[in-house]
Amino acid sequence: MPDATRCNFLQQTSIAGATLLLPVLAAAQDKQGTDKKDAVKAKGDASISPAEDLMREHGVLNRILLIYDEHLRLLAAKKTFDGSVLASAADIVKHFVEEYHEKLEEDFLFPRFRKAGKHAKLVDTLQAQHKAGRETTAKIRELSGVATLKYVSTDSEKLADALREFLRMYRPHEAREDTVLFPAFRSIVSGHEYDALGDDFEKKEDELFGDEGFFKIVDQVGELEKKLGIYELAQFTPK
Ligand SMILES: [Fe+2]
Ligand SMILES: [Fe+2]
C-alpha cells in the first residue's frame, strides 16, 4: 500500500475533531434547556431497582459496542474517519462504564455474592474481565485519541485488534450479568437493602454525572452515533 494511502487512516483528525476530545463528561454536566425534560424523566425514574439501573447502563455499553462495530467496519473498508469520535466513546467507557458501573458491581454486588457463597467463580471471572477491559480501553483510547497522530497500517491493525478484543469479551460479560448475576442479586439481599441500594446507585450517578446523569450520558452517546451516521434506528429495518 502506498505511504500516502497508509497514512490516510484516521489522519483526518482536525482542530474541529480535537474539540471532541474535551472530556465528554464535562458536557454531561451541561444543563442547557433540559430542565423540563429532566423533570419528566425524573418522575419515571423515582423507584428504579438496582438491577434495572445496571441493565440500562448495559444499554449504554451496548450502544458503545455498536460504535466500536462501526469503526471496525470503517477500518476493514480502509475508510478514513475522525478518530475523536472513537476517543470520546472510549472516554465514556472509562468514566461511565469502568469507573462508575463496574465500580458499583465491584463494591456492592461482588462482595455480597462472595459472602453469600453464590456464583463465586462467575464473580471472579467478571472481576478479572473488568481489569482486562480497562487495559483494552486504554489501548483503544491511545490509538484513537491523538488528533495529530498519523496512522499507518500497523496502528490500524492494532486498533482493530483492540476493538475486536473488547467486543468479544464484553458481549458475553454483560449478557451473563443480565441473565445470571442481576436476577440472582434480589435473592441474596433483603427487600429493604435492595430498595436502598437502588436509591444509593441513583444518588451516586447524579453526584458523578449531574442531575439525571444517566440521560445526559445517553445523549452524549447519541451525538457520537449521529456523527458516525448510525443514529437513525429506521435505517436498520430490512427493506
Ligand atoms: Fe461487569
Ligand atoms: Fe456490568
Side-chain angles (χ1 to χ4, degrees), residues 87 114 125 184:
R114 287 191 175 111
T125 303

Side-chain angles (χ1 to χ4, degrees), residues 58 101 105 177 182:
H58 281 177
H101 170 87
E105 292 171 348
E177 289 178 341
F182 300 164

Side-chain angles (χ1 to χ4, degrees), residues 185-205:
F185 188 52
R186 181 66 189 82
S187 70
I188 62 165
V189 293
S190 70
H192 174 74
E193 190 177 12
Y194 191 75
D195 293 343
L197 280 170
D199 293 342
D200 288 349
F201 287 7
E202 273 310 282
K203 215 188 295 168
K204 199 159 179 48
E205 196 170 64

Side-chain angles (χ1 to χ4, degrees), residues 143-195:
L143 288 164
S144 64
V146 185
T148 53
L149 191 65
K150 300 261 190 294
Y151 274 78
V152 295
S153 57
T154 51
D155 294 310
S156 300
E157 279 305 310
K158 274 190 215 162
L159 178 57
D161 284 346
L163 290 171
R164 274 191 289 265
E165 188 176 272
F166 193 89
L167 291 161
R168 178 85 175 130
M169 184 177 77
Y170 266 103
R171 287 198 161 118
H173 179 101
E174 62 174 327
R176 202 61 66 97
E177 289 178 341
D178 285 344
T179 56
V180 178
L181 200 77
F182 300 164
F185 188 52
R186 181 66 189 82
S187 70
I188 62 165
V189 293
S190 70
H192 174 74
E193 190 177 12
Y194 191 75
D195 293 343

